[in-house]
Amino acid sequence: DIQMTQSPSSLSASVGDRVTITCRASQSISTYLNWFQQRPGKAPKLLIYSASDLQNGIPSRFSGSGSGTDFTLTISSLQPEDFATYYCQQSDSTPWTFGQGTTVEIK
Amino acid sequence: QVQLVQSGAEVKKPGASVKVSCKASGYTFSSYYIHWVRQAPGQGLEWMGLINPSGGSTNYAQKFQGRVTMTRDTSTSTVYMEMTRVTFEDTAMYFCARGQGLGARLPAGYWGQGTLVIVSS
């Protein structure tokens, strides 16, 4: 199985901050990398697919980059509704695997 | 609009079976894979497997092989996930999620609301 490692596990940030979360795959997954946001008690929401494509309806402050084994999710200007947990997920091969999550908290 | 509506919460004793449903609407049922993902309390996301509603073929994570069965009913656009011999470690929120098409590499863009399964003696 492909292992996905996210960093950091958590971070504290203020509204308006630029936030970057990284994700590393244990082997090359091309650009089959997706990012999800999950708020407490809710289902995950797809933000970015294929490493850098913005899902319909997602604000442009979210962006993704990377290929191969190293990927990044960036929130350009953190908004109050962005405080949540973020997961990367590879869909290059089954079983799909997820990173352990990054919790973005209010500073 | 695309909707995935899951069945209600379940409480099961260890060793029992549980069957969770996921009713799809707002799109052509047979044109999109359905995945099942679970999340134990306070933990991350774990992929369980997928079903191709067109034909019913399945692909399970090895961890769940032999204990999980995914089926579909095309007449009602409903997918089912049945887990047998549940243990305390199966206590989790179970989500169904729709892929972006017929392909395991296509991401899951729509998710059900989740079904809480509690295993308790």
Side-chain angles (χ1 to χ4, degrees), chain B residues 7-8 15 29 36 42-43 55 65 70 78 84 88 93 105 110:
Chain B
S7 49
F29 178 67
W36 288 90
Q43 303 300 309
Q65 286 272 6
M70 297 175 189
T78 302
T84 59
F88 298 123
M93 186 70 80
R105 284 175 160 172
Y110 291 94

Side-chain angles (χ1 to χ4, degrees), chain B residues 5 22 29 34-35 41 47 52-54 56 65 67 69 73 105 109 112:
Chain B
V5 178
C22 171
F29 178 67
I34 292 288
H35 299 260
W47 184 82
N52 179 349
S54 175
Q65 286 272 6
R67 206 162 65 90
T69 303
D73 181 344
R105 284 175 160 172

Side-chain angles (χ1 to χ4, degrees), chain B residues 17-20 67-71 80-84:
Chain B
S17 297
V18 64
K19 192 170 187 177
V20 178
R67 206 162 65 90
V68 163
T69 303
M70 297 175 189
T71 57
Y80 300 91
M81 188 284 298
E82 183 173 24
M83 179 180 288
T84 59

Side-chain angles (χ1 to χ4, degrees), chain B:
Chain B
Q1 71 284 20
V2 175
Q3 280 194 305
L4 299 173
V5 178
Q6 298 183 226
S7 49
E10 303 264 12
V11 180
K12 297 292 181 181
K13 294 191 184 300
S17 297
V18 64
K19 192 170 187 177
V20 178
S21 67
C22 171
K23 183 172 176 58
S25 62
Y27 69 94
T28 302
F29 178 67
S30 59
S31 296
Y32 299 84
Y33 280 8
I34 292 288
H35 299 260
W36 288 90
V37 174
R38 76 176 185 179
Q39 186 171 38
Q43 303 300 309
L45 300 166
E46 180 177 32
W47 184 82
M48 301 177 67
L50 65 83
I51 183 167
N52 179 349
S54 175
S57 60
T58 54
N59 179 341
Y60 302 129
Q62 186 168 10
K63 174 177 180 176
F64 299 104
Q65 286 272 6
R67 206 162 65 90
V68 163
T69 303
M70 297 175 189
T71 57
R72 95 287 190 222
D73 181 344
T74 56
S75 68
T76 60
S77 299
T78 302
V79 171
Y80 300 91
M81 188 284 298
E82 183 173 24
M83 179 180 288
T84 59
R85 307 186 308 275
V86 298
T87 70
F88 298 123
E89 288 68 41
D90 294 317
T91 292
M93 186 70 80
Y94 289 76
F95 295 101
C96 61
R98 195 201 79 168
Q100 304 281 50
L102 293 178
R105 284 175 160 172
L106 299 173
Y110 291 94
W111 292 62
Q113 82 278 17
T115 296
L116 180 62
V117 174
I118 296 173
V119 181
S120 173
S121 55

